[in-house]
Amino acid sequence: MFPILDSKVMAFYRHHARAAAARYPHRAKRAMFWAAIRDDVCTNLDSGALPLLRRCLAQSESEQVRRIASLTDVRLLDLLTWAIT
């Protein structure tokens, strides 16, 4: 699965995408949004933040909120990015 790479997501990850491109100079890219998003997903899985959020969502009284808990990690992060921009 891939996040929706729109202007909001690109604006949020712009700095991180440039840093990711600097880590992979052989790719000859100025920005690597997919690498930055992948790093964010992995970091939040390793720290337990996404699993914790998923558990909290699953305990909601609202059926709509509980459904969000079943989304993929990438889609959940995509929703969070939209919510804070």
Side-chain angles (χ1 to χ4, degrees):
M1 302 268 330
F2 294 95
I4 299 166
L5 194 57
D6 57 22
S7 60
K8 283 190 174 217
V9 173
M10 289 177 74
F12 182 83
Y13 280 102
R14 190 168 319 283
H15 173 74
H16 299 289
R18 287 184 182 141
R23 288 193 307 272
Y24 303 103
H26 61 283
R27 300 279 187 200
K29 302 283 185 187
R30 291 186 324 169
M32 294 182 66
F33 289 95
W34 302 124
I37 293 167
R38 179 199 64 221
D39 291 347
D40 202 10
V41 169
C42 291
T43 297
N44 283 291
L45 283 173
D46 292 344
S47 72
L50 281 175
L52 176 61
L53 175 61
R54 192 177 304 287
R55 284 192 302 273
C56 290
L57 293 169
Q59 295 172 358
S60 174
E61 293 180 14
S62 167
E63 175 62 30
Q64 288 178 324
V65 173
R66 285 194 308 270
R67 274 190 252 145
I68 294 170
S70 66
L71 296 175
T72 66
D73 295 326
V74 171
R75 184 66 181 130
L76 185 56
L77 189 66
D78 189 40
L79 289 173
L80 290 171
T81 303
W82 259 81
I84 62 174
T85 58

